[in-house]
């Protein structure tokens, strides 16, 4: 087991959810936190604890974004017009690594980030190797010609584990995708309960 996979499994158990909906998550059989006291931890969580847990879940789901980056996303959401909660998830879903994951060019957000860092994707015909790059509506995201036969991409496209959401338009033959529109919270296919309102409350304290 790689360190990356092992770390994701620990996240699942620490947060007490199958965060990415993976069939091999250890939380499916051990639905309690790791450690010798994992099964004996009890007590009603405080409001702060509930908000912190919601933030950790959302932050971890999107590839364990570091705290500085995540706080910056929150600040951008606050500055935008409209509902801050919708703005927050909309910004997270517009990240290049998220769009590539949603388009099924990568099995996880972590692997999407790695593929981007290695220069396997172009946005509007230009190479982009920054995973936090903000994709705009109808931007064309393509797998580079030399990367189209990568086993990880081929395997993910043929997988039946998850579907491409309606707000992502894909062309599997040419291995390209577009963000048709920024999704609403209700459209995002989270495999577990997410509470972005609590995340807003956490940062608004």
């Amino acid at each position: 087991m790689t360190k990356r996979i092992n770390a994701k499994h620990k996240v699942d158990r620490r947060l007490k959810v199958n965060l990415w909906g993976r069939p091999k998550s250890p939380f499916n059989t051990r639905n309690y936190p790791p450690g010798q006291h994992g099964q004996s931890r009890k007590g009603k969580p405080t409001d702060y604890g509930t908000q912190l847990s919601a933030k950790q879940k959302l932050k971890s789901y999107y590839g364990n974004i570091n705290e500085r980056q995540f706080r910056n996303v929150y600040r951008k959401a606050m500055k935008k017009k409209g509902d801050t909660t919708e703005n927050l998830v909309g910004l997270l879903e517009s990240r290049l690594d998220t769009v590539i994951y949603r388009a099924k060019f990568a099995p996880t957000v972590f692997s999407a980030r790695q593929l981007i860092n290695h220069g396997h994707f172009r946005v509007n015909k230009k190479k982009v190797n920054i995973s936090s790059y903000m994709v705009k509506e109808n931007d064309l995201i393509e797998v580079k010609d030399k990367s189209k036969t990568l086993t990880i991409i081929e395997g993910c496209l043929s997988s039946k584990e998850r579907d491409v959401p309606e707000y992502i338009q894909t062309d599997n033959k040419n291995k390209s995708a577009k963000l048709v529109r920024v999704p609403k919270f209700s459209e995002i296919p989270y495999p577990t309960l997410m509470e972005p309102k609590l995340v807003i409350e956490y940062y608004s304290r």
Side-chain angles (χ1 to χ4, degrees):
M1 183 181 290
T2 66
K3 288 182 179 179
R4 187 178 293 274
I5 292 174
N6 189 38
K8 282 189 292 181
H9 286 176
K10 282 183 177 179
V11 168
D12 277 359
R13 294 188 63 207
R14 186 177 74 244
L15 297 177
K16 297 184 282 188
V17 291
N18 183 350
L19 192 58
W20 295 278
R22 305 292 302 222
K24 293 183 179 179
S25 171
F27 185 77
N28 295 339
T29 53
R30 291 174 289 168
N31 59 351
Y32 49 85
Q36 62 177 339
H37 302 297
Q39 296 184 70
S40 60
R41 292 175 188 168
K42 294 180 181 179
K44 186 178 179 181
T46 61
D47 288 345
Y48 172 80
T50 304
Q51 293 164 359
L52 178 62
S53 177
K55 185 203 73 163
Q56 296 294 77
K57 279 200 296 183
L58 199 65
K59 191 171 77 155
S60 298
Y61 179 81
Y62 287 98
N64 207 17
I65 301 171
N66 69 47
E67 181 61 27
R68 179 181 56 80
Q69 284 183 311
F70 198 71
R71 187 180 287 273
N72 284 341
V73 174
Y74 160 75
R75 287 171 178 158
K76 287 180 182 177
M78 285 289 292
K79 289 178 181 178
K80 288 184 70 175
K81 292 181 180 179
D83 187 294
T84 306
T85 300
E86 294 288 353
N87 291 344
L88 178 68
V89 294
L91 287 167
L92 291 169
E93 286 290 315
S94 299
R95 285 172 56 100
L96 181 59
D97 52 4
T98 306
V99 176
I100 285 170
Y101 167 65
R102 295 287 186 219
K104 290 183 66 176
F105 292 147
T108 66
V109 179
F110 297 96
S111 56
R113 190 172 295 167
Q114 191 172 42
L115 288 168
I116 294 165
N117 290 343
H118 290 172
H120 293 297
F121 291 94
R122 294 181 301 182
V123 179
N124 298 329
K125 304 297 182 181
K126 296 180 181 178
K127 188 177 91 170
V128 177
N129 58 6
I130 301 170
S131 56
S132 61
Y133 177 90
M134 298 305 293
V135 177
K136 299 180 181 65
E137 291 181 4
N138 293 314
D139 277 355
L140 179 65
I141 300 161
E142 300 172 288
V143 180
K144 284 178 61 179
D145 290 340
K146 291 182 180 180
S147 307
K148 287 183 177 180
T149 56
L150 284 175
T151 303
I152 188 171
I153 296 174
E154 294 278 7
C156 195
L157 285 172
S158 62
S159 171
K160 304 295 183 183
E161 188 175 304
R162 57 191 171 88
D163 298 319
V164 177
E166 291 184 2
Y167 53 89
I168 302 286
Q169 184 183 80
T170 57
D171 180 347
N172 288 356
K173 182 180 178 181
N174 294 312
K175 293 186 174 59
S176 64
K178 288 182 180 180
L179 177 66
V180 178
R181 66 179 185 280
V182 177
K184 297 292 185 183
F185 174 60
S186 58
E187 296 179 278
I188 302 172
Y190 293 121
T192 188
L193 176 66
M194 290 293 185
E195 299 169 294
K197 284 187 178 180
L198 294 180
V199 179
I200 302 300
E201 289 175 12
Y202 174 86
Y203 283 119
S204 299
R205 288 178 300 107

